[in-house]
Amino acid sequence: MTESTQSSADDRDADVAQLSYEQAREELVAVVSQLEAGGASLEQSLALWERGEALAARCEAWLEGARQRLEAARAQNDADA
């Protein structure tokens, strides 16, 4: 990957890291719809795919964080009981 391409990918990742779960999910749905519709060039399709992967990872991170918070709350509740 060239330096400018890497910088662009880093910027996209930073952008995704700022999204809420709902924002990331909505954008992921839009990306999947675009890919399913077809008609994009190979380069565009690859960029969409990469964006989709980053968005999916962001959603997964949000869900994992929520799971951990629930487990901590349950453990605290059990300890208090």
Side-chain angles (χ1 to χ4, degrees):
M1 202 180 286
T2 66
E3 187 174 319
S4 64
T5 305
Q6 180 63 44
S7 176
S8 178
D10 290 343
D11 291 344
R12 281 193 307 267
D13 290 346
D15 173 50
V16 169
Q18 301 303 313
L19 297 176
S20 70
Y21 172 78
E22 291 78 9
Q23 290 169 324
R25 186 192 67 226
E26 287 177 22
E27 188 176 340
L28 179 57
V29 168
V31 166
V32 169
S33 294
Q34 286 180 286
L35 286 169
E36 288 177 341
S41 69
L42 178 59
E43 187 68 29
Q44 291 168 329
S45 295
L46 287 173
L48 285 168
W49 180 268
E50 290 169 346
R51 180 71 176 182
E53 287 289 325
L55 291 164
R58 180 65 176 155
C59 289
E60 188 173 332
W62 269 108
L63 293 172
E64 178 61 23
R67 184 189 63 76
Q68 289 176 0
R69 288 175 61 191
L70 286 170
E71 287 179 2
R74 286 181 181 149
Q76 181 63 44
N77 189 32
D78 291 345
D80 291 343

